[in-house]
Amino acid sequence: MNDDVLHWLRAQLGPDTDMADLAARYERLSSARAVAVEVLHERIATLVAEPLKVTVNGVATIDSSANVTALERRAARLAGEPGPDERPADQHNVLTTVPLRARARR
């Protein structure tokens, strides 16, 4: 994994993300986008495993549902755009034809 991929992953997932974990995932998945989506899905699963809303009457309310929605939107956005280690779809195997003509003889 090069520095550009590492910086892109940190920008997508936050600076507190374990770089050794990201490197191991990148070795396994071979795509920065796949690593970012996998980490986001794990974060969503962690939030959903706990109650999304807790209310202590008259004291406090903690609601994590907006966090889940934000992570889901980010994962969907990342799934649809190329990562730093992928070429855009229109640059894959570009085929160009060139007409050939015989040169005039002297």
Side-chain angles (χ1 to χ4, degrees):
M1 176 171 40
N2 63 31
D3 285 341
D4 291 336
V5 171
L6 186 61
H7 290 296
W8 185 83
L9 285 169
R10 290 186 78 176
Q12 299 302 316
L13 302 172
D16 295 335
T17 308
D18 181 20
M19 294 302 123
D21 179 49
L22 292 179
R25 289 176 195 254
Y26 188 79
E27 288 295 318
R28 181 172 49 85
L29 297 171
S30 302
S31 166
R33 181 171 43 109
V35 169
V37 170
E38 183 178 80
V39 170
L40 290 174
H41 283 293
E42 284 183 6
R43 290 179 182 177
I44 292 167
T46 301
L47 285 172
V48 172
E50 299 295 323
L52 290 178
K53 187 172 185 178
V54 176
T55 302
V56 178
N57 289 333
V59 178
T61 299
I62 299 172
D63 189 356
S64 299
S65 58
N67 293 346
V68 172
T69 304
L71 289 173
E72 288 173 339
R73 274 195 310 252
R74 179 172 284 199
R77 184 181 51 98
L78 285 176
E81 66 184 37
D85 55 350
E86 299 170 320
R87 291 183 292 176
D90 60 341
Q91 291 183 1
H92 287 277
N93 300 324
V94 174
L95 179 64
T96 303
T97 58
V98 178
L100 300 176
R101 295 186 312 175
R103 266 180 63 182
R105 294 185 182 210
R106 295 187 187 186

